[in-house]
Amino acid sequence: MNMVHILGGAQTDFERNWTKEGKGMIAILSEVVSDGLANAGISFDDICALNRENRVAAFVGNFIAEKYVEQGHLGAFLTEIDPSFYGVPSARYEAACASSSVAIDAAQTKIMAGEYDLAIVVGWELMKTVDSKTGGDFLGRAAYYEKEGKDVAFPFPKLFARLADEMILKYRLDEKRFMDDLALISSINYQNAKRNPLAQTRKWFMSLDQASTRGTETNPYIGGRLASSDCSQVTDGAVVVVLASKEFARRRGLVHKPVIKGYGHRTAPLLFDKKILENRESRYVLPWTRQTAVDAYHRSGLTVDDIDVFETHDCFTSSEYAAISAFGLTEPGKEFEAIESGMISFEGRKPVNPSGGLIGCGHPVGASGARMLLDCYKQVAGEAGDYQVPDARNAMMLNIGGSATTNYVFVVGSTK
Amino acid sequence: MASLTVKTVTVIGATGTMGANVAGIFASFGNAKVFCVGRDIRKVEKTIPRIVKSVRADSIRKNLQPADWSMLDDCIRQSDLVFESVAEDLEVKRTIARIVSENLAEDAISCTGSSGLSIDEISECYSDEQRKRYCGVHMFNPPYSMTLCELIPSSYADPSVMDSLAAYLAEKLLRTVVMVKDSPAFLANRIGFQFINEAMQYAERFKDSGGIDYIDAILGPFSGRAMAPLATADFVGLDIHKAIVDNLYSKTSDYEHETFRLPEFVSSLIKAGRLGRKSGEGLYKTFTYDNGLKRQAVYDLSLGTYVDKRKYVFPFALEMNDFIHEGDYAKAFGVLVENRSREAEICLSFLLEYIVYSLYCAQEVAYTPDACDAVMSAGFNWCPPLALYKALGQVCDVGRLVRERIPEICMNVDVDDLLRNVPESKYDYRPYFKAGK
């Protein structure tokens, strides 16, 4: 089987509000694609040359541009950026907040199958085109809209608050201690984001104290027991990751570039109620999320001991809490150990979200999976700047769509 | 370099806009106990919710201790750092400095938030020992989103203390720290208010073409800023604007000297109490009707009254907006350079003059040429001058354009010298160029 290298990529500054800048889809795509290709050392001429032999393709991840910017047929839009994309096979992939992971998966599969040498993965979402309540309703379509989203204000915070409730019940956790652990998760992500020059919240103030003080004017409850500090924030963003075959990397003298060592992809029952009913049989609160990580360990031939850094999908603090045991960092029900001991903090033994995660970086839904893969790449390639985890050889990311319905895990590692 | 520990801070003048906002920064990012001192303790207490709101964090409330003048001596004695933010008046500041000097703890740092008075002159109220630990710390409004912090050591300052303070401001308070010289208005305001005041002069000169909103339409978001220059003056307050440019006009004498002369119409508006947004009217005015409808009006310089804000249609601006909307910046700059309408020429000449004056001021006031980038980005949210130089450089030879388009400036300053080694900007120009609605 063909090995898949990551040559590089780019992320837009997640602090930016493109609507306020008066810019649309073409502007954000054009910027991120040119930056991403430049970072990977690929020119538009390279794309033309590869395209003549049908050796390059593009894979676009986006959740719901039909609502946010009234546009579908998104795969076709690369042709508007540069004529070198004329004729390049390109399509859009969608799985809610895991949209760009499906795009990555499609891209790596085509490369592994020997169909293409170069794959350009673009994940993007413009979300600041509407107010937060309207946007919250759009996002309800990542759940079963008719049953879980329609006429519900901010359905997702409520669903992930139910996940928190479920963990307290399932593991008989002390409620206060659990909420303090969630606050710690939030403040670690905010602190980490301070080192990331592309993070949405890098200038924001957040402390453990502020995250623990819920129900105030500056930290109001958003859904159930989750307050503003427990939630990632919507933003505009786009990410490009450039993948290449081993042969292409060899030709370019880039065989030292990190590779995708394994992946997992599982779909859990869509309705949250059914997830909960099903998990009674499991030690894990999100058994299919756990299985996705197990599959990725299996495919990569690695264990949790081999992974030096994690990027997880902390759309809410409760989802990061559940991810800790899914990664195998602790036994299920013992996640608090990893949080309270400092294991997952930036200086800890197993740093989670050195980038700041979704809470710190912001969560442009269709871009987040690609952002995590790019951050894993940066860690392994030693290009993460101020948020570099020393000597990171292997990195794992978890990207979920809906209420942990679509689950994706990728392992990025060094070839050395 | 010894690292600085700041556990307790006194902010003198905490009910003012900057005093309150700075107290919020120390109490949040610095997690310091902050004595918020004002004349009237009830007024200070009323300011506390505003401070909390300025950093969006109720949790800092317990760090904020209201105090009045009678408690000042005691607050200063307990503080590791004293931040004076009283009225911008040398004698008032010197009076406060003497009180601080009498009570300042041995290793404590004292600073002023002055936006342009001489730091050396105030520092003379301190003892020789205290003077080593005295400086200006000039933040911008609102500091939560504008991170610029100009650090101005007096000529008596101990460099190692200044270095530790700079590190504290940058690492703990997350400020964009730029060390500048004790020169009138320091760096950011000298560059920024030169631009704004000259825009005011142009408004007067072109009053028959529309004046105020005409010039703002020429220097709109597509020219590399979120807020047009005259709207910025209205936001800052015309009285503050006057204080800054009058100070620069009387104390500096560089080649831009005449552009610091305040236009007559601004003085008249100030005399009439039309100070800008804070007093409800100034260069602009928003009429709000009972049914909630709003009407944007602008002061018409020919009529001497407010008229509806006009929608100007400049072909060059429309074209630039279209290109910026799609992220094709090079084409947008191409239009700016190629279009020879009066409006495009004014716009481009302002941008070129801004690049040249920034380079000049960086030499005069800063320690490194790229300081002008940091101050204009983090203090004004304008496209930084070196980034602008790079942006325009995609479509033309900027040096040649300077000589062609602003020859009168080239006669008065050595542009060859200024443009000889323009450092590469660390900033991305793209976010600053916005397509207006």
Side-chain angles (χ1 to χ4, degrees):
Chain A
M1 195 108 80
N2 219 328
M3 191 128 61
V4 178
H5 286 271
I6 306 177
L7 301 188
Q11 177 198 331
T12 60
D13 181 350
F14 282 5
E15 185 189 56
R16 291 171 66 181
N17 178 325
W18 292 69
T19 297
K20 273 197 184 159
E21 288 182 26
K23 295 168 196 166
M25 180 175 50
I26 300 299
I28 197 170
L29 287 174
S30 154
E31 185 165 324
V32 78
V33 169
S34 52
D35 289 3
L37 292 178
N39 178 272
I42 303 291
S43 67
F44 287 120
D45 286 345
D46 290 334
I47 292 177
C48 289
L50 285 161
N51 191 42
R52 279 194 287 274
E53 308 297 323
N54 200 196
R55 301 301 297 168
V56 57
F59 304 79
V60 179
N62 175 281
F63 173 32
I64 196 156
E66 287 80 353
K67 285 283 173 190
Y68 282 112
V69 295
E70 305 283 333
Q71 184 62 58
H73 202 176
L74 304 175
F77 273 84
L78 296 182
T79 59
E80 282 291 301
I81 297 175
D82 192 274
S84 61
F85 283 102
Y86 292 1
V88 173
S90 171
R92 180 260 197 98
Y93 295 80
E94 190 269 314
C97 304
S99 293
S100 50
S101 283
V102 204
I104 294 163
D105 194 9
Q108 70 158 0
T109 305
K110 288 283 194 180
I111 291 176
M112 285 191 288
E115 295 286 316
Y116 302 124
D117 278 323
L118 194 73
I120 299 153
V121 179
V122 188
W124 69 276
E125 206 81 48
L126 287 172
M127 308 177 79
K128 292 292 198 180
T129 51
V130 296
D131 62 62
S132 65
K133 200 158 175 242
T134 310
D137 180 63
F138 292 171
L139 294 176
R141 286 150 180 88
Y144 190 156
Y145 186 67
E146 187 187 319
K147 295 185 177 177
E148 295 177 318
K150 200 161 177 276
D151 302 324
V152 180
F154 301 109
F156 269 92
K158 293 188 175 74
L159 288 169
F160 278 91
R162 287 186 60 202
L163 177 67
D165 296 344
E166 183 61 22
M167 289 190 287
I168 293 173
L169 284 172
K170 189 175 179 83
Y171 302 127
R172 296 192 181 83
L173 299 172
D174 177 77
E175 198 177 326
K176 180 174 182 309
R177 182 178 180 181
F178 174 74
M179 292 310 288
D180 286 347
D181 286 337
L182 294 190
L184 198 49
I185 286 175
S186 168
S187 83
I188 291 171
N189 281 310
Y190 272 97
Q191 288 315 310
N192 289 352
K194 299 276 176 282
R195 301 183 195 90
N196 183 346
L198 299 174
Q200 178 190 26
T201 70
R202 63 187 184 268
K203 292 177 198 152
W204 299 12
F205 173 68
M206 179 60 68
S207 62
L208 180 56
D209 204 8
Q210 173 70 9
S212 319
T213 318
R214 297 180 177 89
T216 61
E217 202 187 328
T218 53
N219 193 19
Y221 285 106
I222 306 291
R225 61 175 70 245
L226 299 184
S228 178
S229 58
D230 293 297
C231 309
S232 60
Q233 313 283 325
V234 301
T235 190
D236 296 333
V239 174
V240 156
V241 190
V242 180
L243 307 182
S245 65
K246 190 178 178 180
E247 172 55 22
F248 185 86
R250 194 190 54 73
R251 282 206 306 266
R252 291 287 181 116
L254 296 171
V255 287
H256 60 282
K257 285 283 184 179
V259 293
I260 298 179
K261 288 188 170 173
Y263 78 99
H265 176 199
R266 296 280 187 167
T267 306
L270 175 60
L271 280 170
F272 194 78
D273 282 339
K274 289 189 182 167
K275 283 190 185 79
I276 297 309
L277 276 177
E278 196 206 14
N279 86 25
R280 303 270 143 85
E281 310 297 315
S282 169
R283 292 159 65 225
Y284 293 88
V285 71
L286 298 171
W288 291 112
T289 308
R290 167 61 184 165
Q291 188 57 47
T292 312
V294 169
D295 295 342
Y297 283 127
H298 178 73
R299 286 194 174 98
S300 61
L302 301 174
T303 72
V304 65
D305 295 332
D306 301 311
I307 308 293
D308 304 305
V309 53
F310 295 84
E311 282 289 330
T312 195
H313 193 98
D314 54 324
C315 47
F316 299 91
T317 49
S318 54
S319 45
E320 179 166 335
Y321 194 99
I324 290 169
S325 55
F327 284 135
L329 290 171
T330 67
E331 286 295 304
K334 302 284 185 195
E335 294 83 354
F336 56 84
E337 290 173 356
I339 302 163
E340 294 168 10
S341 69
M343 181 206 270
I344 63 165
S345 64
F346 186 67
E347 297 82 9
R349 199 162 55 78
K350 298 283 181 186
V352 175
N353 290 347
S355 67
L358 275 55
I359 288 176
C361 290
H363 183 26
V365 292
S368 281
R371 197 273 303 153
M372 290 182 209
L373 190 78
L374 183 62
D375 272 321
C376 287
Y377 160 83
K378 287 181 183 171
Q379 291 293 349
V380 173
E383 294 174 9
D386 287 347
Y387 62 102
Q388 178 69 50
V389 171
D391 306 321
R393 291 179 50 79
N394 293 303
M396 177 178 268
M397 61 164 273
L398 165 66
N399 181 205
I400 63 181
S403 53
T405 306
T406 292
N407 295 273
Y408 255 106
V409 170
F410 289 98
V411 180
V412 175
S414 155
T415 50
K416 284 170 229 160
Chain B
M1 184 174 71
S3 85
L4 194 65
T5 309
V6 179
K7 287 189 178 147
T8 309
V9 173
T10 293
V11 174
I12 309 172
T15 54
T17 305
M18 276 318 285
N21 286 341
V22 168
I25 298 293
F26 280 109
S28 57
F29 296 109
N31 194 22
K33 176 162 92 177
V34 182
F35 293 113
C36 303
V37 188
R39 257 175 233 290
D40 177 352
I41 192 138
R42 278 164 307 179
K43 221 180 143 192
V44 179
E45 280 160 359
K46 274 193 195 150
T47 308
I48 301 293
R50 216 174 77 211
I51 300 178
V52 164
K53 228 176 178 165
S54 75
V55 292
R56 295 123 171 96
D58 283 270
S59 60
I60 69 154
R61 203 177 286 264
K62 59 181 176 301
N63 282 345
L64 300 167
Q65 312 253 330
D68 65 17
W69 247 224
S70 70
M71 299 137 91
L72 179 58
D73 295 2
D74 194 43
C75 295
I76 296 169
R77 271 182 231 124
Q78 293 181 52
S79 293
D80 305 305
L81 189 148
V82 176
F83 190 99
E84 167 271 302
S85 186
V86 300
E88 197 66 5
D89 177 303
L90 188 62
E91 274 326 299
V92 176
K93 287 200 188 285
R94 285 171 62 99
T95 308
I96 298 290
R98 284 184 205 102
I99 300 172
V100 176
S101 167
E102 277 165 32
N103 296 288
L104 195 63
E106 201 178 328
D107 284 332
I109 286 178
S110 173
C111 50
T112 174
S114 172
S115 58
L117 296 176
S118 161
I119 304 303
D120 270 4
E121 281 182 57
I122 311 173
S123 77
E124 277 148 18
C125 303
Y126 288 91
S127 73
D128 290 351
E129 251 330 286
Q130 290 169 336
R131 224 175 269 168
K132 292 181 184 164
R133 316 175 67 80
Y134 181 76
C135 59
V137 171
H138 183 215
M139 298 200 204
F140 285 69
N141 192 34
Y144 190 68
S145 50
M146 297 296 218
T147 58
L148 177 60
C149 177
E150 291 179 316
L151 178 60
I152 312 104
S154 79
S155 41
Y156 314 100
D158 175 344
S160 73
V161 175
M162 293 300 117
D163 286 347
S164 337
L165 179 61
Y168 167 78
L169 293 165
E171 286 152 29
K172 190 86 181 174
L173 303 190
L174 303 182
R175 302 294 97 193
T176 305
V177 181
V178 178
M179 195 91 78
V180 296
K181 295 174 192 163
D182 187 10
S183 165
F186 314 127
L187 185 58
N189 280 349
R190 180 145 165 196
I191 298 170
F193 282 85
Q194 188 284 324
F195 190 101
I196 294 172
N197 200 63
E198 190 168 15
M200 284 177 171
Q201 294 178 346
Y202 266 64
E204 192 163 55
R205 190 167 141 198
F206 291 103
K207 63 182 178 185
D208 293 337
S209 299
I212 291 168
D213 59 349
Y214 173 71
I215 293 300
D216 266 0
I218 290 172
L219 296 166
F222 56 83
S223 74
R225 69 209 70 246
M227 198 190 268
L230 301 191
T232 304
D234 225 37
F235 176 77
V236 170
L238 298 182
D239 52 336
I240 306 277
H241 173 87
K242 175 178 158 58
I244 293 169
V245 295
D246 283 356
N247 184 38
L248 279 161
Y249 189 69
S250 67
K251 297 207 180 115
T252 62
S253 55
D254 62 37
Y255 72 95
E256 289 287 13
H257 190 238
E258 281 312 305
T259 61
F260 287 113
R261 189 195 287 278
L262 189 73
E264 186 47 42
F265 77 88
V266 185
S267 302
S268 313
L269 286 169
I270 293 170
K271 275 188 208 123
R274 293 167 160 173
L275 302 180
R277 197 175 291 187
K278 63 186 169 189
S279 63
E281 57 185 10
L283 303 175
Y284 291 96
K285 181 172 184 169
T286 305
F287 291 95
T288 311
Y289 296 100
D290 291 344
N291 61 4
L293 277 182
K294 284 184 177 176
R295 186 164 68 90
Q296 305 290 337
V298 60
Y299 188 75
D300 187 292
L301 298 178
S302 299
L303 302 172
T305 182
Y306 292 92
V307 300
D308 280 357
K309 209 176 143 188
R310 289 154 286 222
K311 286 190 175 63
Y312 294 91
V313 180
F314 306 138
F316 91 99
L318 293 177
E319 280 184 63
M320 283 187 76
N321 275 335
D322 284 349
F323 285 127
I324 292 170
H325 175 70
E326 298 212 331
D328 199 338
Y329 303 94
K331 286 214 178 96
F333 302 138
V335 169
L336 181 60
V337 172
E338 303 287 323
N339 188 297
R340 300 308 296 251
S341 65
R342 181 174 80 189
E343 291 79 16
E345 289 190 350
I346 293 174
C347 180
L348 182 58
S349 69
F350 264 80
L351 298 187
L352 296 171
E353 192 177 342
Y354 164 68
I355 293 173
V356 173
Y357 195 52
S358 297
L359 289 165
Y360 176 84
C361 289
Q363 273 187 7
E364 282 263 303
V365 186
Y367 296 94
T368 56
D370 62 352
C372 57
D373 258 23
V375 299
M376 295 322 291
S377 162
F380 278 75
N381 204 6
W382 289 0
C383 180
L386 306 181
L388 177 61
Y389 178 86
K390 187 167 152 187
L392 293 174
Q394 292 176 94
V395 295
C396 63
D397 175 344
V398 180
R400 207 172 71 201
L401 206 59
V402 163
R403 288 173 195 97
E404 233 173 75
R405 298 298 185 94
I406 47 172
E408 65 289 1
I409 282 171
C410 300
M411 285 191 286
N412 297 316
V413 66
D414 187 353
V415 290
D416 295 334
D417 179 54
L418 291 174
L419 294 171
R420 189 162 297 131
N421 288 311
V422 178
E424 170 97 8
S425 179
K426 291 197 227 30
Y427 288 81
D428 181 355
Y429 64 81
R430 296 174 296 193
Y432 298 93
F433 289 89
K434 301 167 203 276
K437 288 195 187 83

Tab-separated table of all heavy atoms in Angstrom, chain A residues 257-283:
chain	number	residue	atom	x	y	z
A	257	LYS	N	9.139	14.019	5.192
A	257	LYS	CA	7.892	14.670	5.635
A	257	LYS	C	7.012	13.661	6.383
A	257	LYS	O	6.984	12.477	6.048
A	257	LYS	CB	7.129	15.211	4.417
A	257	LYS	CG	7.752	16.468	3.827
A	257	LYS	CD	7.413	17.672	4.685
A	257	LYS	CE	7.937	18.965	4.089
A	257	LYS	NZ	7.585	20.120	4.926
A	258	PRO	N	6.260	14.145	7.405
A	258	PRO	CA	5.401	13.246	8.191
A	258	PRO	C	4.396	12.488	7.317
A	258	PRO	O	4.049	12.937	6.219
A	258	PRO	CB	4.663	14.213	9.123
A	258	PRO	CG	5.539	15.399	9.235
A	258	PRO	CD	6.223	15.521	7.906
A	259	VAL	N	3.959	11.358	7.827
A	259	VAL	CA	3.002	10.537	7.086
A	259	VAL	C	1.748	10.289	7.934
A	259	VAL	O	1.772	10.436	9.152
A	259	VAL	CB	3.606	9.161	6.698
A	259	VAL	CG1	4.721	9.334	5.678
A	259	VAL	CG2	4.103	8.420	7.925
A	260	ILE	N	0.677	9.936	7.236
A	260	ILE	CA	-0.522	9.490	7.952
A	260	ILE	C	-0.326	8.006	8.222
A	260	ILE	O	-0.226	7.203	7.296
A	260	ILE	CB	-1.801	9.739	7.124
A	260	ILE	CG1	-1.977	11.244	6.877
A	260	ILE	CG2	-3.021	9.160	7.854
A	260	ILE	CD1	-3.208	11.601	6.042
A	261	LYS	N	-0.247	7.654	9.518
A	261	LYS	CA	0.097	6.275	9.862
A	261	LYS	C	-1.128	5.394	10.051
A	261	LYS	O	-1.019	4.174	10.046
A	261	LYS	CB	0.949	6.246	11.136
A	261	LYS	CG	2.368	6.764	10.920
A	261	LYS	CD	3.241	6.534	12.146
A	261	LYS	CE	4.707	6.827	11.840
A	261	LYS	NZ	5.542	6.768	13.054
A	262	GLY	N	-2.269	6.025	10.255
A	262	GLY	CA	-3.467	5.207	10.449
A	262	GLY	C	-4.673	6.085	10.663
A	262	GLY	O	-4.548	7.300	10.858
A	263	TYR	N	-5.838	5.474	10.568
A	263	TYR	CA	-7.066	6.248	10.774
A	263	TYR	C	-8.141	5.342	11.331
A	263	TYR	O	-8.025	4.100	11.298
A	263	TYR	CB	-7.538	6.873	9.456
A	263	TYR	CG	-8.240	5.883	8.540
A	263	TYR	CD1	-9.636	5.825	8.492
A	263	TYR	CD2	-7.509	4.961	7.795
A	263	TYR	CE1	-10.278	4.890	7.698
A	263	TYR	CE2	-8.147	4.017	7.004
A	263	TYR	CZ	-9.538	3.984	6.953
A	263	TYR	OH	-10.172	3.053	6.180
A	264	GLY	N	-9.186	5.961	11.845
A	264	GLY	CA	-10.378	5.229	12.254
A	264	GLY	C	-11.585	6.046	11.844
A	264	GLY	O	-11.516	7.284	11.806
A	265	HIS	N	-12.657	5.375	11.474
A	265	HIS	CA	-13.876	6.077	11.054
A	265	HIS	C	-15.072	5.228	11.440
A	265	HIS	O	-15.240	4.125	10.933
A	265	HIS	CB	-13.832	6.315	9.531
A	265	HIS	CG	-15.080	6.956	8.995
A	265	HIS	ND1	-15.408	6.910	7.674
A	265	HIS	CD2	-16.092	7.654	9.606
A	265	HIS	CE1	-16.570	7.555	7.483
A	265	HIS	NE2	-16.996	8.006	8.642
A	266	ARG	N	-15.887	5.714	12.356
A	266	ARG	CA	-17.073	4.970	12.795
A	266	ARG	C	-18.248	5.925	12.940
A	266	ARG	O	-18.074	7.077	13.333
A	266	ARG	CB	-16.811	4.330	14.163
A	266	ARG	CG	-15.701	3.281	14.156
A	266	ARG	CD	-16.211	1.962	13.624
A	266	ARG	NE	-15.191	0.931	13.781
A	266	ARG	CZ	-15.444	-0.364	13.639
A	266	ARG	NH1	-16.667	-0.792	13.316
A	266	ARG	NH2	-14.480	-1.241	13.784
A	267	THR	N	-19.427	5.418	12.671
A	267	THR	CA	-20.621	6.239	12.838
A	267	THR	C	-21.507	5.649	13.938
A	267	THR	O	-21.918	4.485	13.855
A	267	THR	CB	-21.398	6.340	11.514
A	267	THR	OG1	-20.488	6.800	10.510
A	267	THR	CG2	-22.548	7.321	11.628
A	268	ALA	N	-21.752	6.450	14.947
A	268	ALA	CA	-22.567	6.033	16.092
A	268	ALA	C	-24.039	6.312	15.782
A	268	ALA	O	-24.350	7.052	14.849
A	268	ALA	CB	-22.127	6.807	17.326
A	269	PRO	N	-24.962	5.748	16.575
A	269	PRO	CA	-26.381	6.071	16.374
A	269	PRO	C	-26.582	7.582	16.383
A	269	PRO	O	-26.016	8.283	17.223
A	269	PRO	CB	-27.089	5.432	17.571
A	269	PRO	CG	-26.122	4.488	18.168
A	269	PRO	CD	-24.759	4.832	17.699
A	270	LEU	N	-27.376	8.079	15.435
A	270	LEU	CA	-27.539	9.520	15.262
A	270	LEU	C	-28.209	10.202	16.453
A	270	LEU	O	-27.717	11.203	16.969
A	270	LEU	CB	-28.352	9.766	13.980
A	270	LEU	CG	-28.749	11.194	13.653
A	270	LEU	CD1	-27.526	12.079	13.488
A	270	LEU	CD2	-29.582	11.217	12.367
A	271	LEU	N	-29.302	9.632	16.924
A	271	LEU	CA	-30.037	10.283	18.016
A	271	LEU	C	-29.289	10.136	19.343
A	271	LEU	O	-28.812	9.049	19.678
A	271	LEU	CB	-31.429	9.672	18.145
A	271	LEU	CG	-32.470	10.183	17.151
A	271	LEU	CD1	-33.728	9.316	17.227
A	271	LEU	CD2	-32.809	11.647	17.432
A	272	PHE	N	-29.214	11.226	20.076
A	272	PHE	CA	-28.487	11.179	21.344
A	272	PHE	C	-29.104	10.145	22.287
A	272	PHE	O	-28.387	9.407	22.969
A	272	PHE	CB	-28.455	12.570	21.992
A	272	PHE	CG	-27.468	12.653	23.107
A	272	PHE	CD1	-26.112	12.791	22.831
A	272	PHE	CD2	-27.872	12.551	24.434
A	272	PHE	CE1	-25.182	12.829	23.857
A	272	PHE	CE2	-26.947	12.588	25.460
A	272	PHE	CZ	-25.609	12.732	25.172
A	273	ASP	N	-30.437	10.066	22.319
A	273	ASP	CA	-31.102	9.087	23.183
A	273	ASP	C	-30.644	7.662	22.868
A	273	ASP	O	-30.443	6.849	23.763
A	273	ASP	CB	-32.633	9.155	22.989
A	273	ASP	CG	-33.226	10.339	23.721
A	273	ASP	OD1	-32.570	10.834	24.665
A	273	ASP	OD2	-34.331	10.786	23.342
A	274	LYS	N	-30.489	7.378	21.586
A	274	LYS	CA	-30.064	6.021	21.203
A	274	LYS	C	-28.604	5.773	21.578
A	274	LYS	O	-28.226	4.651	21.924
A	274	LYS	CB	-30.285	5.806	19.707
A	274	LYS	CG	-31.765	5.692	19.360
A	274	LYS	CD	-31.980	5.255	17.925
A	274	LYS	CE	-33.477	5.218	17.624
A	274	LYS	NZ	-33.752	5.102	16.190
A	275	LYS	N	-27.800	6.828	21.513
A	275	LYS	CA	-26.404	6.687	21.952
A	275	LYS	C	-26.361	6.275	23.423
A	275	LYS	O	-25.599	5.408	23.824
A	275	LYS	CB	-25.658	8.020	21.812
A	275	LYS	CG	-25.238	8.390	20.404
A	275	LYS	CD	-24.294	9.593	20.434
A	275	LYS	CE	-23.944	10.068	19.038
A	275	LYS	NZ	-24.974	10.886	18.392
A	276	ILE	N	-27.187	6.947	24.199
A	276	ILE	CA	-27.181	6.696	25.637
A	276	ILE	C	-27.695	5.286	25.942
A	276	ILE	O	-27.123	4.560	26.755
A	276	ILE	CB	-28.026	7.768	26.378
A	276	ILE	CG1	-27.391	9.149	26.163
A	276	ILE	CG2	-28.157	7.465	27.863
A	276	ILE	CD1	-25.917	9.231	26.472
A	277	LEU	N	-28.764	4.901	25.253
A	277	LEU	CA	-29.285	3.548	25.451
A	277	LEU	C	-28.217	2.517	25.128
A	277	LEU	O	-28.037	1.539	25.856
A	277	LEU	CB	-30.502	3.312	24.543
A	277	LEU	CG	-31.846	3.803	25.065
A	277	LEU	CD1	-32.931	3.562	24.014
A	277	LEU	CD2	-32.197	3.079	26.377
A	278	GLU	N	-27.498	2.769	24.039
A	278	GLU	CA	-26.512	1.802	23.591
A	278	GLU	C	-25.318	1.714	24.538
A	278	GLU	O	-24.766	0.640	24.753
A	278	GLU	CB	-26.024	2.169	22.178
A	278	GLU	CG	-25.304	1.020	21.496
A	278	GLU	CD	-24.297	1.477	20.454
A	278	GLU	OE1	-23.954	2.669	20.436
A	278	GLU	OE2	-23.849	0.624	19.676
A	279	ASN	N	-24.931	2.861	25.121
A	279	ASN	CA	-23.694	2.828	25.923
A	279	ASN	C	-23.841	2.074	27.238
A	279	ASN	O	-22.854	1.789	27.911
A	279	ASN	CB	-23.099	4.230	26.097
A	279	ASN	CG	-23.668	5.011	27.274
A	279	ASN	OD1	-24.164	4.462	28.261
A	279	ASN	ND2	-23.591	6.325	27.172
A	280	ARG	N	-25.082	1.738	27.614
A	280	ARG	CA	-25.283	0.951	28.843
A	280	ARG	C	-24.476	-0.345	28.789
A	280	ARG	O	-24.068	-0.879	29.809
A	280	ARG	CB	-26.772	0.599	29.029
A	280	ARG	CG	-27.710	1.790	29.077
A	280	ARG	CD	-27.910	2.314	30.500
A	280	ARG	NE	-28.003	3.774	30.520
A	280	ARG	CZ	-29.113	4.490	30.315
A	280	ARG	NH1	-30.255	3.877	30.082
A	280	ARG	NH2	-29.097	5.804	30.367
A	281	GLU	N	-24.256	-0.854	27.563
A	281	GLU	CA	-23.544	-2.128	27.385
A	281	GLU	C	-22.027	-1.944	27.455
A	281	GLU	O	-21.292	-2.911	27.405
A	281	GLU	CB	-23.859	-2.727	25.995
A	281	GLU	CG	-25.331	-2.813	25.649
A	281	GLU	CD	-26.059	-3.739	26.602
A	281	GLU	OE1	-25.528	-4.828	26.885
A	281	GLU	OE2	-27.157	-3.356	27.070
A	282	SER	N	-21.592	-0.679	27.492
A	282	SER	CA	-20.153	-0.423	27.357
A	282	SER	C	-19.608	0.272	28.599
A	282	SER	O	-20.350	0.938	29.328
A	282	SER	CB	-19.916	0.457	26.130
A	282	SER	OG	-18.589	0.927	26.107
A	283	ARG	N	-18.313	0.158	28.812
A	283	ARG	CA	-17.678	0.926	29.883
A	283	ARG	C	-17.480	2.368	29.432
A	283	ARG	O	-17.226	3.259	30.237
A	283	ARG	CB	-16.323	0.316	30.241
A	283	ARG	CG	-16.431	-1.065	30.907
A	283	ARG	CD	-15.117	-1.828	30.774
A	283	ARG	NE	-14.047	-1.167	31.497
A	283	ARG	CZ	-12.831	-0.967	30.996
A	283	ARG	NH1	-12.539	-1.350	29.761
A	283	ARG	NH2	-11.898	-0.397	31.718
